[in-house]
Amino acid sequence: MSSPEVSEIRVRVNYSETDQMGVVYHARYLVWLDIARTEHLRRSGMSYRDLEAAGLRLVVAEAALRYRQPARYDDPILVRCWVRALASRRVEFGYAVQHAEAGRLLATARTALLALSPAMTPTRLPDAVRSVLCAIPDPVRLNLTDA
Amino acid sequence: MSSPEVSEIRVRVNYSETDQMGVVYHARYLVWLDIARTEHLRRSGMSYRDLEAAGLRLVVAEAALRYRQPARYDDPILVRCWVRALASRRVEFGYAVQHAEAGRLLATARTALLALSPAMTPTRLPDAVRSVLCAIPDPVRLNLTDA
Amino acid sequence: MSSPEVSEIRVRVNYSETDQMGVVYHARYLVWLDIARTEHLRRSGMSYRDLEAAGLRLVVAEAALRYRQPARYDDPILVRCWVRALASRRVEFGYAVQHAEAGRLLATARTALLALSPAMTPTRLPDAVRSVLCAIPDPVRLNLTDA
Amino acid sequence: MSSPEVSEIRVRVNYSETDQMGVVYHARYLVWLDIARTEHLRRSGMSYRDLEAAGLRLVVAEAALRYRQPARYDDPILVRCWVRALASRRVEFGYAVQHAEAGRLLATARTALLALSPAMTPTRLPDAVRSVLCAIPDPVRLNLTDA
């Protein structure tokens, strides 16, 4: 998982992210994925802020997550992110969430994003975006079951 | 979708749930599903608070969502919830998120929950829980693609 | 606290709002205050959605909260809200957060909001807004200390 | 503001933190303050995780914030944190939230925390904690008005 096509971000679990079970509340993982995706774009040479200012919106159309082991308060977390599929109007990202020190896999996930115009109608991903995103085979088995 | 096995909750979109695209941020839907699931248990005669006090934890092991149309600030939202599969240690819920007045479908989702002991090890769903939950065929096509 | 100038909303504590101390995380109260304020405006005959569509933004410029007793998972919560001061460009709201059944006071708070134009510059509160908001003496001692 | 008694953390505004006004939702600042406070303790030689494991709870009893300028999506944020008052059962922190590059002040705040036992009753701050925390005069005017 060390190819340049897989980016990494680190976060530390804040108290606000825990719930009374003493683990990270499951919805928070979607925010970590968002942080990872934003940095993946940045490392690919794009700022999502600039893309949006230029009139492109990338909206989450599908999300699937498998929670394997709990993350706990103050844990250092590593999120790996990559592009797993790319089409004219759609890009799909894969993610592996790990304990940054122990290395154990906490969750795997994928999200599919659609390109929309400011009027929220489907549009093509600009060539400048498509050309720098590179879909790769999942470096980790996501083990997401179908519906 | 009006059988007793399908419960309904209503929420109104708060400003905190919107993002700068002017729509509800995608992670918030998981919270709405949680509210719906909690009320589904309550209407089935169980309080999750009581279940947890009695030593049972139901933790989200899988989640999958398809976002179809955006929810917007101040929109009245209706979430329908049902049990779609029930096993000895696992229960899977289905959800349909709709605009409460216009009726249009905003999102569909499923979450799979595992029964854990307070020590966070797998355990069986108590008979008292299994006996009141009733799995039904999805009243709405979820259209969740596989991984 | 039963005058028409004091409005009430009810929420039930969701699992997402708890933290590992087993109580509601303190930042969530600001969201409950937002829900209460929005409903106070609605009951005064205004929809904040409409105000914003008409070009007015009310932004939180100050917030102060005193937490007295913890709220817990599944607790029914009552938030009372009123206008405590009104000026040409500023409106200040007071809040009392209570356990809806036991009645005990959980928190008191105030927020000051400024009227801004869509360009985020200070503007006057429209007369139509000022005329329906009525400042009243605090029905509950807020006990907010100064800085 | 560069004395060792003032710690600094950096965060970058994520999409989930924005609202439809295109700025960071006001409740999120409380989470940034929490992150800053946790790191301030860590740099003072304590891990709040360890303190809590040892039976101490620090709970927010008061919070006051003044919002001066909006933070926006993808902005790099710097939060400075210091102890402004220390008593046997209570510690008060001060905060300055700034744009990390432009330097402009976005918000100032204070929070007062009480020491509680695991049974949530008031207790003394352990000497080991008090001895490493050092109250200093506010390095920035907080400009928090009273109630």
Side-chain angles (χ1 to χ4, degrees):
Chain A
M1 285 187 67
S2 57
S3 73
E5 294 91 358
V6 179
S7 60
E8 299 183 359
I9 59 120
R10 281 155 198 272
V11 293
R12 189 186 281 275
V13 176
N14 177 253
Y15 217 88
S16 61
E17 302 183 301
T18 64
D19 65 23
Q20 75 173 23
M21 226 176 267
V23 302
V24 172
Y25 185 73
H26 63 282
R28 279 305 293 176
Y29 287 72
L30 280 175
V31 176
W32 296 349
L33 306 186
D34 187 336
I35 296 171
R37 187 166 64 238
T38 304
E39 291 307 312
H40 188 80
L41 291 177
R42 199 189 313 277
R43 287 166 202 189
S44 302
M46 287 170 291
S47 145
Y48 179 69
R49 178 188 234 176
D50 293 346
L51 290 180
E52 202 171 280
L56 181 69
R57 270 138 190 67
L58 290 177
V59 302
V60 177
E62 296 168 45
L65 305 97
R66 175 174 288 265
Y67 302 92
R68 292 148 186 272
Q69 294 206 45
R72 295 182 186 279
Y73 172 59
D74 217 36
D75 278 353
I77 302 294
L78 173 72
V79 185
R80 298 184 194 261
C81 174
W82 61 93
V83 174
R84 63 197 307 263
L86 189 61
S88 62
R89 300 176 167 199
R90 183 180 189 277
V91 53
E92 187 170 321
F93 294 89
Y95 311 86
V97 180
Q98 298 174 244
H99 189 286
E101 286 162 12
R104 64 176 179 274
L105 198 56
L106 306 179
T108 43
R110 70 176 184 88
T111 61
L113 284 87
L114 294 183
L116 297 186
S117 72
M120 300 295 250
T121 56
T123 189
R124 284 175 58 87
L125 282 166
D127 289 341
V129 173
R130 293 195 62 196
S131 64
V132 296
L133 295 178
C134 173
I136 61 170
D138 290 329
V140 171
R141 269 183 62 87
L142 298 189
N143 269 325
L144 303 171
T145 54
D146 64 20
Chain B
M1 285 188 68
S2 57
S3 73
E5 294 91 359
V6 179
S7 60
E8 299 183 358
I9 58 119
R10 280 156 199 272
V11 293
R12 190 186 281 273
V13 175
N14 177 253
Y15 217 88
S16 62
E17 302 183 301
T18 63
D19 64 24
Q20 76 174 23
M21 225 177 269
V23 303
V24 172
Y25 185 73
H26 62 282
R28 281 303 295 176
Y29 287 73
L30 280 176
V31 176
W32 295 350
L33 305 187
D34 187 335
I35 297 172
R37 187 166 65 238
T38 304
E39 290 308 311
H40 189 80
L41 291 176
R42 199 188 315 277
R43 287 166 201 188
S44 301
M46 288 170 291
S47 146
Y48 179 69
R49 177 188 234 174
D50 293 346
L51 291 180
E52 201 171 280
L56 181 69
R57 269 138 190 67
L58 290 177
V59 302
V60 176
E62 295 166 46
L65 305 98
R66 174 175 288 267
Y67 302 92
R68 292 148 184 272
Q69 295 206 42
R72 295 182 185 278
Y73 173 59
D74 216 38
D75 277 353
I77 303 294
L78 173 72
V79 186
R80 297 183 195 265
C81 174
W82 61 94
V83 174
R84 63 198 307 264
L86 189 59
S88 62
R89 300 174 166 200
R90 184 180 189 277
V91 53
E92 187 170 320
F93 294 88
Y95 312 85
V97 180
Q98 299 174 245
H99 189 288
E101 286 163 10
R104 63 176 179 274
L105 197 57
L106 306 178
T108 45
R110 69 178 185 86
T111 62
L113 285 88
L114 294 184
L116 297 186
S117 72
M120 300 295 249
T121 55
T123 189
R124 284 175 57 88
L125 281 166
D127 288 343
V129 172
R130 293 196 61 197
S131 64
V132 296
L133 295 178
C134 173
I136 62 169
D138 290 330
V140 170
R141 270 183 62 87
L142 298 190
N143 270 324
L144 304 171
T145 53
D146 63 20
Chain C
M1 287 187 67
S2 56
S3 74
E5 293 91 359
V6 179
S7 61
E8 299 183 359
I9 59 116
R10 281 155 198 272
V11 293
R12 190 186 281 274
V13 176
N14 178 254
Y15 216 88
S16 62
E17 303 184 299
T18 63
D19 65 24
Q20 75 175 23
M21 226 178 268
V23 303
V24 172
Y25 185 72
H26 63 282
R28 280 304 293 177
Y29 287 73
L30 280 176
V31 177
W32 295 351
L33 305 187
D34 187 336
I35 297 171
R37 187 166 65 239
T38 304
E39 291 308 310
H40 189 79
L41 291 177
R42 199 189 313 277
R43 287 166 202 190
S44 302
M46 287 169 292
S47 145
Y48 179 70
R49 178 187 235 176
D50 293 345
L51 291 180
E52 202 171 279
L56 181 70
R57 270 138 189 66
L58 290 177
V59 302
V60 177
E62 296 167 45
L65 305 98
R66 174 174 289 266
Y67 301 92
R68 293 148 184 271
Q69 295 206 43
R72 295 181 186 280
Y73 173 58
D74 216 37
D75 277 353
I77 303 294
L78 173 72
V79 185
R80 297 183 195 263
C81 174
W82 61 93
V83 174
R84 62 197 308 263
L86 190 59
S88 63
R89 299 176 167 197
R90 183 181 189 275
V91 54
E92 187 171 321
F93 293 89
Y95 311 86
V97 180
Q98 299 174 244
H99 189 287
E101 285 164 10
R104 63 175 179 274
L105 197 58
L106 306 178
T108 44
R110 69 178 185 86
T111 61
L113 285 88
L114 294 183
L116 297 186
S117 72
M120 299 296 251
T121 55
T123 189
R124 284 175 58 87
L125 283 166
D127 288 343
V129 172
R130 294 196 62 198
S131 65
V132 295
L133 296 178
C134 173
I136 60 170
D138 291 329
V140 170
R141 270 183 62 88
L142 299 190
N143 270 325
L144 303 171
T145 54
D146 64 21
Chain D
M1 284 188 70
S2 58
S3 74
E5 294 91 358
V6 178
S7 60
E8 299 183 358
I9 58 118
R10 280 156 199 271
V11 293
R12 190 186 281 274
V13 175
N14 178 254
Y15 217 88
S16 61
E17 303 183 299
T18 63
D19 64 24
Q20 76 174 24
M21 225 177 269
V23 302
V24 172
Y25 185 73
H26 64 282
R28 280 303 294 177
Y29 288 72
L30 280 176
V31 177
W32 295 349
L33 305 186
D34 188 335
I35 296 172
R37 188 166 64 240
T38 304
E39 291 308 311
H40 189 79
L41 291 176
R42 199 189 314 277
R43 287 166 201 191
S44 302
M46 287 169 291
S47 145
Y48 179 69
R49 179 188 232 174
D50 293 345
L51 290 180
E52 201 172 280
L56 180 70
R57 269 137 189 68
L58 290 177
V59 302
V60 177
E62 296 167 46
L65 305 98
R66 175 175 287 267
Y67 302 92
R68 292 148 185 272
Q69 295 206 44
R72 295 182 185 279
Y73 172 59
D74 216 38
D75 277 353
I77 303 293
L78 172 72
V79 185
R80 299 183 193 264
C81 174
W82 61 93
V83 174
R84 60 197 310 262
L86 189 59
S88 62
R89 300 176 167 197
R90 183 179 190 277
V91 53
E92 188 170 321
F93 293 89
Y95 312 86
V97 180
Q98 299 174 245
H99 189 287
E101 287 162 12
R104 62 175 180 275
L105 196 58
L106 306 178
T108 44
R110 69 178 186 85
T111 62
L113 284 87
L114 294 183
L116 297 186
S117 72
M120 298 295 250
T121 55
T123 189
R124 284 175 58 87
L125 282 166
D127 288 343
V129 173
R130 293 195 62 197
S131 65
V132 296
L133 295 178
C134 173
I136 60 169
D138 291 330
V140 171
R141 270 183 62 87
L142 298 189
N143 269 326
L144 303 170
T145 54
D146 63 21

